[in-house]
Amino acid sequence: MTGRPLAAIAAVAVAGAALAWIGMGDLGENLVYYWSPSELVAAGAKAHGATIRLGGQVEAGTVDWNPDTNQLKFVVTDGQEHIKVASVGAPPQMFREGIGVVVEGTIKDGQFATDRVMVKHSNEYRAPEDGEKPDIVTLSEDGP
Amino acid sequence: MKLAWEHYIGLAGLVLMAAGNAIGLFWAPPEMMMGDVGRILYVHVPAAWICMVIYLVAFAGAVASLATARPGADALVESSVEVGVLLNVLLLVLGSIFAKPTWGVWWDWDPRLTASAIMCLTFVGVMVLRAMVDDVERRASWSAVTTVLAFVNIPVTYMSVRWWRSLHQVQSSSSTMSAEMWNVLWLNTVALLLVSIWFVARRYRIARDRADQLRAPPLEVAP
C-alpha cells in the first residue's frame, strides 16, 4: 500500500475543525458545572427541586459546625449574593473560611441542602517559610 | 552483548525516578494547606504532562502512517497509544487519590475529570480496534484515523480548566509554586519522560517484529 497524503491532510483538517468548534463555540454557555450564587438567585423558582451544584467562596465568619449533630452550616458567596448552605457530616480537611467550594444538593426551605461538599484548591503550592507550620485545619470537638 | 540504546535512557529514568520520589517524599517541604498530601503532586502532574506528550507522539505517528503507509509509523502508533493509556490510567488513579483528602471526593464529573476519562476511553478504543482488525494495512489506516480524531480531545482536556468552570484548578506554573517544589516536580517529570521513552521504544520493537511476521510470505512447504 502506498501512502495517502490527502487522507492525512483530511484527517488533520477534520480534527482541527472539531477542535476549533469546541474551543470557539459557545459550549461554555451550555456546559455549566456549577452555578454561582448570583445565577442561583437570578434563576429563582427554576432552581427549585432539581439537584444542582453551587460554587463560590465560604464567607468569613459564617461557618457553624456542630459536632454533636454533625451539622455544618455556612454561607457561599460570589461577592454579590449570599446563599445559606446546610450540610451534614464533617467537610474535607481543607475546608475553611474564604476557600472555594462546590456543593451539590437542592434548595430546601430557603437553604441549599447538601451532603456533598467539595473544596476547590487554587493552583498555588507554597512551602512553609521559616518557623511556619502547614496550616491544616481539622474540625475537632472544639470547632474550626 | 551490546545493549539497545533505549535501555540507557530507561536506566537513567529509573535512577532519576527513584531520586525524584525520595526527594519528593522526604526532602521537599510539605504544602502549606495540604501538608504531606500535597506530595502526590510530584507524581500526578508528571503523569498528566507525559501522558499528553506520548499521545502527541501517537498523533504524529498516525499522521505519518496515513501519509506514508510506513510500517514504522504504524508501530509508533501502536506503541505510543499503549504507553499513553498506561500513563492515562496512572493519571486518573493518582488524581483520584489526590482528590479524596483535598477536595473531599474521589471523583466528580467536572470538565477536566470528564475530559481525562474520555481521553482514556477513546485511546482504549484505538487499542480495541487494533486488536479486532487482522489485516495489517487496514489496521494501520483505521487506527491512524481514529488516533487523529481521538487526539482532538487532548487540547480540550488541557484547556478544559480555562474554558469551563471546574472543580480542578487551573495549571500551576513557577510563579504559583515555591521554587523547591517546582524543581522537584520537574525532576520527576524528566524521570517519567525517560522511562516512557524507554517503554515506547521497547514496545515499538515488539510491534515491528510482529508486523514483519504478518507481512512475511508464508513458508513454502517442501513436498
Short mmCIF file of all heavy atoms in Angstrom, two decimals, chain A residues 43-95:
data_model
loop_
_atom_site.label_atom_id
_atom_site.label_comp_id
_atom_site.label_asym_id
_atom_site.label_seq_id
_atom_site.Cartn_x
_atom_site.Cartn_y
_atom_site.Cartn_z
N ALA A 43 -32.06 32.73 38.89
CA ALA A 43 -32.90 31.66 38.34
C ALA A 43 -34.22 31.56 39.08
O ALA A 43 -35.21 31.07 38.54
CB ALA A 43 -32.14 30.34 38.39
N GLY A 44 -34.24 32.00 40.33
CA GLY A 44 -35.47 31.99 41.12
C GLY A 44 -36.07 30.60 41.25
O GLY A 44 -35.39 29.64 41.59
N ALA A 45 -37.36 30.50 40.93
CA ALA A 45 -38.09 29.24 41.14
C ALA A 45 -37.58 28.13 40.23
O ALA A 45 -37.75 26.95 40.54
CB ALA A 45 -39.57 29.48 40.89
N LYS A 46 -36.93 28.51 39.12
CA LYS A 46 -36.42 27.48 38.19
C LYS A 46 -35.39 26.58 38.86
O LYS A 46 -35.19 25.44 38.46
CB LYS A 46 -35.75 28.17 36.98
CG LYS A 46 -36.71 28.44 35.84
CD LYS A 46 -35.95 28.68 34.54
CE LYS A 46 -35.11 29.95 34.60
NZ LYS A 46 -34.39 30.22 33.36
N ALA A 47 -34.70 27.12 39.86
CA ALA A 47 -33.63 26.36 40.51
C ALA A 47 -34.17 25.43 41.59
O ALA A 47 -33.43 24.62 42.13
CB ALA A 47 -32.61 27.32 41.10
N HIS A 48 -35.46 25.55 41.89
CA HIS A 48 -36.01 24.73 42.98
C HIS A 48 -36.28 23.31 42.51
O HIS A 48 -36.70 23.10 41.38
CB HIS A 48 -37.29 25.36 43.52
CG HIS A 48 -37.02 26.61 44.32
ND1 HIS A 48 -37.25 26.70 45.66
CD2 HIS A 48 -36.51 27.80 43.95
CE1 HIS A 48 -36.91 27.90 46.10
NE2 HIS A 48 -36.45 28.59 45.07
N GLY A 49 -36.06 22.37 43.40
CA GLY A 49 -36.44 20.98 43.11
C GLY A 49 -35.34 20.16 42.46
O GLY A 49 -35.18 19.00 42.79
N ALA A 50 -34.57 20.75 41.58
CA ALA A 50 -33.55 19.98 40.86
C ALA A 50 -32.28 19.86 41.70
O ALA A 50 -31.99 20.72 42.53
CB ALA A 50 -33.22 20.66 39.54
N THR A 51 -31.55 18.80 41.47
CA THR A 51 -30.24 18.66 42.10
C THR A 51 -29.23 19.45 41.27
O THR A 51 -29.06 19.20 40.09
CB THR A 51 -29.81 17.19 42.16
OG1 THR A 51 -30.77 16.49 42.95
CG2 THR A 51 -28.44 17.05 42.79
N ILE A 52 -28.62 20.45 41.90
CA ILE A 52 -27.69 21.31 41.18
C ILE A 52 -26.41 21.50 41.98
O ILE A 52 -26.34 21.12 43.16
CB ILE A 52 -28.32 22.70 40.89
CG1 ILE A 52 -28.94 23.25 42.17
CG2 ILE A 52 -29.34 22.64 39.78
CD1 ILE A 52 -29.53 24.64 42.00
N ARG A 53 -25.42 22.08 41.34
CA ARG A 53 -24.19 22.41 42.04
C ARG A 53 -24.09 23.92 42.18
O ARG A 53 -24.41 24.66 41.27
CB ARG A 53 -22.97 21.90 41.29
CG ARG A 53 -22.88 20.39 41.21
CD ARG A 53 -21.52 19.96 40.69
NE ARG A 53 -21.58 18.60 40.18
CZ ARG A 53 -21.80 18.30 38.90
NH1 ARG A 53 -21.97 19.26 38.01
NH2 ARG A 53 -21.85 17.04 38.51
N LEU A 54 -23.63 24.32 43.36
CA LEU A 54 -23.43 25.73 43.65
C LEU A 54 -21.96 25.93 43.96
O LEU A 54 -21.38 25.18 44.73
CB LEU A 54 -24.30 26.12 44.85
CG LEU A 54 -24.01 27.46 45.53
CD1 LEU A 54 -24.43 28.62 44.63
CD2 LEU A 54 -24.72 27.55 46.87
N GLY A 55 -21.35 26.93 43.34
CA GLY A 55 -19.93 27.17 43.57
C GLY A 55 -19.66 28.60 44.00
O GLY A 55 -20.30 29.54 43.52
N GLY A 56 -18.74 28.77 44.94
CA GLY A 56 -18.39 30.11 45.41
C GLY A 56 -17.43 30.01 46.57
O GLY A 56 -16.84 28.96 46.81
N GLN A 57 -17.28 31.13 47.29
CA GLN A 57 -16.38 31.14 48.44
C GLN A 57 -17.17 30.95 49.73
O GLN A 57 -18.32 31.39 49.83
CB GLN A 57 -15.64 32.47 48.53
CG GLN A 57 -14.28 32.46 47.87
CD GLN A 57 -14.40 32.65 46.39
OE1 GLN A 57 -15.12 33.53 45.95
NE2 GLN A 57 -13.72 31.82 45.62
N VAL A 58 -16.53 30.31 50.70
CA VAL A 58 -17.10 30.22 52.03
C VAL A 58 -16.93 31.59 52.69
O VAL A 58 -15.80 32.05 52.89
CB VAL A 58 -16.40 29.14 52.88
CG1 VAL A 58 -16.97 29.11 54.29
CG2 VAL A 58 -16.54 27.78 52.21
N GLU A 59 -18.03 32.24 53.00
CA GLU A 59 -17.95 33.60 53.54
C GLU A 59 -17.38 33.58 54.96
O GLU A 59 -17.76 32.75 55.79
CB GLU A 59 -19.35 34.23 53.55
CG GLU A 59 -19.29 35.71 53.85
CD GLU A 59 -20.54 36.45 53.40
OE1 GLU A 59 -21.44 35.81 52.82
OE2 GLU A 59 -20.60 37.66 53.65
N ALA A 60 -16.47 34.51 55.21
CA ALA A 60 -15.81 34.56 56.52
C ALA A 60 -16.83 34.82 57.62
O ALA A 60 -17.77 35.60 57.45
CB ALA A 60 -14.75 35.66 56.52
N GLY A 61 -16.64 34.13 58.74
CA GLY A 61 -17.48 34.37 59.90
C GLY A 61 -18.82 33.67 59.87
O GLY A 61 -19.66 33.89 60.74
N THR A 62 -19.05 32.83 58.87
CA THR A 62 -20.36 32.18 58.77
C THR A 62 -20.32 30.69 59.06
O THR A 62 -21.36 30.04 59.06
CB THR A 62 -20.96 32.37 57.36
OG1 THR A 62 -20.14 31.69 56.41
CG2 THR A 62 -21.05 33.84 56.98
N VAL A 63 -19.12 30.14 59.29
CA VAL A 63 -19.02 28.69 59.47
C VAL A 63 -19.51 28.30 60.86
O VAL A 63 -19.03 28.81 61.87
CB VAL A 63 -17.57 28.19 59.25
CG1 VAL A 63 -17.47 26.71 59.52
CG2 VAL A 63 -17.12 28.51 57.84
N ASP A 64 -20.49 27.41 60.90
CA ASP A 64 -21.08 26.97 62.15
C ASP A 64 -21.12 25.44 62.15
O ASP A 64 -21.93 24.82 61.48
CB ASP A 64 -22.51 27.56 62.25
CG ASP A 64 -23.26 27.01 63.46
OD1 ASP A 64 -22.59 26.50 64.39
OD2 ASP A 64 -24.50 27.10 63.46
N TRP A 65 -20.20 24.87 62.89
CA TRP A 65 -20.06 23.40 62.92
C TRP A 65 -20.54 22.88 64.27
O TRP A 65 -20.06 23.32 65.31
CB TRP A 65 -18.60 23.03 62.68
CG TRP A 65 -18.17 21.64 63.05
CD1 TRP A 65 -17.27 21.29 64.01
CD2 TRP A 65 -18.61 20.42 62.46
NE1 TRP A 65 -17.12 19.93 64.05
CE2 TRP A 65 -17.94 19.37 63.11
CE3 TRP A 65 -19.52 20.11 61.44
CZ2 TRP A 65 -18.13 18.03 62.77
CZ3 TRP A 65 -19.71 18.77 61.10
CH2 TRP A 65 -19.02 17.75 61.76
N ASN A 66 -21.47 21.98 64.24
CA ASN A 66 -21.98 21.39 65.47
C ASN A 66 -21.56 19.92 65.54
O ASN A 66 -22.12 19.07 64.85
CB ASN A 66 -23.51 21.49 65.50
CG ASN A 66 -24.08 21.01 66.82
OD1 ASN A 66 -23.46 20.20 67.51
ND2 ASN A 66 -25.25 21.52 67.16
N PRO A 67 -20.55 19.61 66.35
CA PRO A 67 -20.04 18.24 66.39
C PRO A 67 -21.05 17.25 66.97
O PRO A 67 -20.94 16.04 66.70
CB PRO A 67 -18.79 18.34 67.27
CG PRO A 67 -18.92 19.61 68.01
CD PRO A 67 -19.81 20.52 67.23
N ASP A 68 -22.01 17.73 67.76
CA ASP A 68 -22.98 16.81 68.36
C ASP A 68 -23.97 16.29 67.33
O ASP A 68 -24.29 15.10 67.29
CB ASP A 68 -23.73 17.52 69.50
CG ASP A 68 -22.78 17.91 70.63
OD1 ASP A 68 -21.80 17.15 70.84
OD2 ASP A 68 -23.00 18.95 71.26
N THR A 69 -24.47 17.21 66.49
CA THR A 69 -25.45 16.79 65.48
C THR A 69 -24.81 16.53 64.14
O THR A 69 -25.48 16.13 63.20
CB THR A 69 -26.51 17.89 65.30
OG1 THR A 69 -25.85 19.09 64.88
CG2 THR A 69 -27.26 18.17 66.59
N ASN A 70 -23.47 16.79 64.04
CA ASN A 70 -22.77 16.57 62.78
C ASN A 70 -23.23 17.51 61.68
O ASN A 70 -23.12 17.18 60.51
CB ASN A 70 -22.94 15.12 62.33
CG ASN A 70 -21.60 14.47 62.04
OD1 ASN A 70 -20.56 15.04 62.35
ND2 ASN A 70 -21.62 13.29 61.45
N GLN A 71 -23.78 18.63 62.07
CA GLN A 71 -24.30 19.55 61.07
C GLN A 71 -23.35 20.72 60.86
O GLN A 71 -22.80 21.26 61.82
CB GLN A 71 -25.68 20.05 61.49
CG GLN A 71 -26.73 18.98 61.31
CD GLN A 71 -28.13 19.52 61.47
OE1 GLN A 71 -28.35 20.41 62.30
NE2 GLN A 71 -29.06 18.98 60.72
N LEU A 72 -23.19 21.08 59.60
CA LEU A 72 -22.30 22.17 59.24
C LEU A 72 -23.10 23.19 58.44
O LEU A 72 -23.76 22.86 57.46
CB LEU A 72 -21.14 21.63 58.39
CG LEU A 72 -20.16 22.66 57.83
CD1 LEU A 72 -19.28 23.21 58.93
CD2 LEU A 72 -19.31 22.03 56.74
N LYS A 73 -23.05 24.43 58.92
CA LYS A 73 -23.73 25.50 58.19
C LYS A 73 -22.74 26.58 57.80
O LYS A 73 -21.84 26.90 58.59
CB LYS A 73 -24.86 26.10 59.05
CG LYS A 73 -26.01 25.15 59.23
CD LYS A 73 -27.12 25.75 60.06
CE LYS A 73 -28.29 24.77 60.12
NZ LYS A 73 -29.34 25.21 61.00
N PHE A 74 -22.87 27.09 56.63
CA PHE A 74 -22.02 28.20 56.18
C PHE A 74 -22.72 28.94 55.04
O PHE A 74 -23.76 28.50 54.55
CB PHE A 74 -20.64 27.71 55.76
CG PHE A 74 -20.63 26.63 54.71
CD1 PHE A 74 -20.44 26.93 53.37
CD2 PHE A 74 -20.82 25.30 55.06
CE1 PHE A 74 -20.43 25.94 52.40
CE2 PHE A 74 -20.82 24.30 54.10
CZ PHE A 74 -20.62 24.61 52.77
N VAL A 75 -22.14 30.06 54.67
CA VAL A 75 -22.70 30.86 53.58
C VAL A 75 -21.72 30.84 52.41
O VAL A 75 -20.52 31.01 52.58
CB VAL A 75 -22.97 32.31 54.04
CG1 VAL A 75 -23.34 33.19 52.86
CG2 VAL A 75 -24.07 32.33 55.10
N VAL A 76 -22.27 30.57 51.22
CA VAL A 76 -21.46 30.60 49.99
C VAL A 76 -21.75 31.91 49.26
O VAL A 76 -22.92 32.27 49.07
CB VAL A 76 -21.77 29.40 49.09
CG1 VAL A 76 -21.13 29.57 47.71
CG2 VAL A 76 -21.26 28.11 49.72
N THR A 77 -20.69 32.61 48.89
CA THR A 77 -20.87 33.91 48.24
C THR A 77 -19.98 34.06 47.02
O THR A 77 -18.96 33.39 46.89
CB THR A 77 -20.56 35.05 49.24
OG1 THR A 77 -20.78 36.31 48.60
CG2 THR A 77 -19.11 34.98 49.70
N ASP A 78 -20.41 34.91 46.10
CA ASP A 78 -19.56 35.31 44.98
C ASP A 78 -19.25 36.80 45.06
O ASP A 78 -18.86 37.43 44.10
CB ASP A 78 -20.22 34.96 43.64
CG ASP A 78 -21.59 35.58 43.49
OD1 ASP A 78 -22.05 36.27 44.43
OD2 ASP A 78 -22.23 35.39 42.44
N GLY A 79 -19.49 37.36 46.24
CA GLY A 79 -19.28 38.79 46.43
C GLY A 79 -20.55 39.59 46.20
O GLY A 79 -20.67 40.71 46.69
N GLN A 80 -21.49 39.00 45.46
CA GLN A 80 -22.75 39.69 45.17
C GLN A 80 -23.88 39.12 46.03
O GLN A 80 -24.48 39.84 46.81
CB GLN A 80 -23.13 39.51 43.70
CG GLN A 80 -21.99 39.69 42.72
CD GLN A 80 -21.87 41.12 42.24
OE1 GLN A 80 -22.86 41.79 42.04
NE2 GLN A 80 -20.65 41.58 42.09
N GLU A 81 -24.11 37.83 45.85
CA GLU A 81 -25.20 37.18 46.57
C GLU A 81 -24.63 36.23 47.62
O GLU A 81 -23.47 35.82 47.55
CB GLU A 81 -26.09 36.40 45.59
CG GLU A 81 -26.78 37.26 44.54
CD GLU A 81 -27.89 38.16 45.11
OE1 GLU A 81 -28.29 37.93 46.29
OE2 GLU A 81 -28.33 39.07 44.40
N HIS A 82 -25.47 35.90 48.59
CA HIS A 82 -25.03 35.04 49.69
C HIS A 82 -26.07 33.94 49.87
O HIS A 82 -27.25 34.24 50.09
CB HIS A 82 -24.90 35.85 50.98
CG HIS A 82 -24.14 37.13 50.78
ND1 HIS A 82 -22.81 37.25 51.08
CD2 HIS A 82 -24.52 38.33 50.27
CE1 HIS A 82 -22.40 38.49 50.77
NE2 HIS A 82 -23.43 39.16 50.28
N ILE A 83 -25.63 32.70 49.77
CA ILE A 83 -26.57 31.57 49.89
C ILE A 83 -26.23 30.78 51.15
O ILE A 83 -25.09 30.38 51.35
CB ILE A 83 -26.48 30.63 48.67
CG1 ILE A 83 -26.57 31.42 47.35
CG2 ILE A 83 -27.52 29.53 48.76
CD1 ILE A 83 -27.94 31.67 46.84
N LYS A 84 -27.24 30.55 51.98
CA LYS A 84 -27.04 29.72 53.17
C LYS A 84 -27.00 28.25 52.77
O LYS A 84 -27.87 27.78 52.04
CB LYS A 84 -28.21 29.93 54.15
CG LYS A 84 -28.11 31.20 54.95
CD LYS A 84 -29.22 31.22 55.98
CE LYS A 84 -29.19 32.52 56.78
NZ LYS A 84 -30.39 32.64 57.65
N VAL A 85 -25.99 27.57 53.26
CA VAL A 85 -25.83 26.16 52.93
C VAL A 85 -25.89 25.34 54.22
O VAL A 85 -25.26 25.70 55.22
CB VAL A 85 -24.48 25.90 52.21
CG1 VAL A 85 -24.26 24.42 51.99
CG2 VAL A 85 -24.42 26.66 50.89
N ALA A 86 -26.68 24.27 54.19
CA ALA A 86 -26.76 23.36 55.33
C ALA A 86 -26.26 22.00 54.88
O ALA A 86 -26.74 21.46 53.89
CB ALA A 86 -28.21 23.25 55.81
N SER A 87 -25.27 21.50 55.59
CA SER A 87 -24.68 20.22 55.18
C SER A 87 -24.56 19.29 56.37
O SER A 87 -24.56 19.72 57.52
CB SER A 87 -23.33 20.49 54.52
OG SER A 87 -22.32 19.75 55.11
N VAL A 88 -24.45 18.02 56.07
CA VAL A 88 -24.33 17.02 57.13
C VAL A 88 -22.98 16.32 56.97
O VAL A 88 -22.59 15.98 55.86
CB VAL A 88 -25.47 15.97 57.02
CG1 VAL A 88 -25.31 14.91 58.11
CG2 VAL A 88 -26.82 16.66 57.14
N GLY A 89 -22.30 16.15 58.09
CA GLY A 89 -21.01 15.45 58.05
C GLY A 89 -19.85 16.42 58.05
O GLY A 89 -19.98 17.59 57.68
N ALA A 90 -18.70 15.91 58.46
CA ALA A 90 -17.50 16.74 58.51
C ALA A 90 -17.03 17.05 57.09
O ALA A 90 -17.04 16.17 56.24
CB ALA A 90 -16.40 16.03 59.28
N PRO A 91 -16.62 18.28 56.83
CA PRO A 91 -16.15 18.64 55.49
C PRO A 91 -14.71 18.18 55.28
O PRO A 91 -14.05 17.75 56.23
CB PRO A 91 -16.23 20.16 55.50
CG PRO A 91 -16.00 20.52 56.92
CD PRO A 91 -16.58 19.41 57.75
N PRO A 92 -14.21 18.25 54.06
CA PRO A 92 -12.81 17.90 53.81
C PRO A 92 -11.87 18.78 54.64
O PRO A 92 -12.24 19.88 55.05
CB PRO A 92 -12.62 18.21 52.32
CG PRO A 92 -13.98 18.29 51.75
CD PRO A 92 -14.90 18.67 52.83
N GLN A 93 -10.65 18.28 54.87
CA GLN A 93 -9.75 18.98 55.80
C GLN A 93 -9.36 20.37 55.31
O GLN A 93 -9.00 21.21 56.11
CB GLN A 93 -8.51 18.14 56.08
CG GLN A 93 -7.57 18.02 54.89
CD GLN A 93 -6.23 17.43 55.29
OE1 GLN A 93 -6.15 16.59 56.18
NE2 GLN A 93 -5.17 17.87 54.63
N MET A 94 -9.43 20.62 54.01
CA MET A 94 -9.03 21.95 53.53
C MET A 94 -10.16 22.98 53.66
O MET A 94 -9.97 24.15 53.36
CB MET A 94 -8.58 21.87 52.07
CG MET A 94 -7.30 21.11 51.89
SD MET A 94 -6.30 21.71 50.51
CE MET A 94 -7.52 21.90 49.24
N PHE A 95 -11.32 22.52 54.08
CA PHE A 95 -12.45 23.44 54.23
C PHE A 95 -12.12 24.51 55.28
O PHE A 95 -11.64 24.21 56.36
CB PHE A 95 -13.68 22.64 54.68
CG PHE A 95 -14.92 23.49 54.81
CD1 PHE A 95 -15.76 23.70 53.74
CD2 PHE A 95 -15.25 24.06 56.04
CE1 PHE A 95 -16.90 24.46 53.86
CE2 PHE A 95 -16.39 24.84 56.16
CZ PHE A 95 -17.22 25.05 55.08
#
